[in-house]
Amino acid sequence: MTDQEEGGGGGGGGGTTTAIELNVGGVFYTTGLGTLTKEPNSRLAELFRDRLATLERDAKGRYFLDRDGVLFRYVLDFLRNQALVLPEGFRERERLRQEASFYGLASLERAIDQPTPALCAQVRD
């Protein structure tokens, strides 16, 4: 799985995007440095802002994070859009909360804790 971000989309800068290739638990992503550092006080931002030179790399030179690669797509989507959109019937909220906690993304943790409209409808029935 490859996820691409093109210039200007989430960088928060002057139109140029520093592309970062990632291997997250065996799932490959390409995104902008601005996306990874969008929440400046997060552990994720710290890794890619302050400790980039010390991050482990895989055999192809991609930055390696030994985390859940499938769930990381929701982390990236949240950082890009500042909204949590999960597929209908998503059953891994607790695992996603653990990922958000690991990356220090408090706003994502809060978004996970908010009930979805579908859950609200089920509660009222």
Side-chain angles (χ1 to χ4, degrees):
M1 178 185 304
T2 299
D3 196 7
Q4 301 256 338
E5 175 180 302
E6 302 207 3
T16 59
T17 299
T18 300
I20 302 288
E21 292 187 357
L22 303 170
N23 173 346
V24 183
V27 181
F28 308 125
Y29 294 94
T30 303
T31 191
L33 182 59
T35 298
L36 296 169
T37 59
K38 186 165 268 183
E39 292 202 10
N41 295 323
S42 70
R43 181 168 190 231
L44 186 64
E46 177 193 334
L47 287 173
F48 286 93
R49 182 187 56 238
D50 302 333
R51 298 181 17 199
L52 196 60
T54 63
L55 280 177
E56 187 176 344
R57 291 183 181 244
D58 70 9
K60 300 278 187 181
R62 295 176 286 238
Y63 292 103
F64 178 73
L65 300 174
D66 190 15
R67 300 300 299 177
D68 189 312
V70 174
L71 291 177
F72 193 71
R73 86 182 277 187
Y74 303 111
V75 172
L76 281 181
D77 285 345
F78 180 81
L79 290 171
R80 289 178 179 136
N81 303 313
Q82 294 298 293
L84 180 62
V85 179
L86 298 173
E88 190 173 325
F90 185 77
R91 295 177 162 235
E92 298 191 85
R93 284 179 104 78
E94 187 55 39
R95 290 183 67 203
L96 183 56
R97 184 180 290 106
Q98 289 175 352
E99 293 301 298
S101 176
F102 174 81
Y103 293 120
L105 298 168
S107 60
L108 177 54
E109 287 185 81
R110 286 191 299 274
I112 292 166
D113 290 334
Q114 292 180 358
T116 62
L119 289 176
C120 292
Q122 290 173 358
V123 170
R124 282 181 265 171
D125 290 344

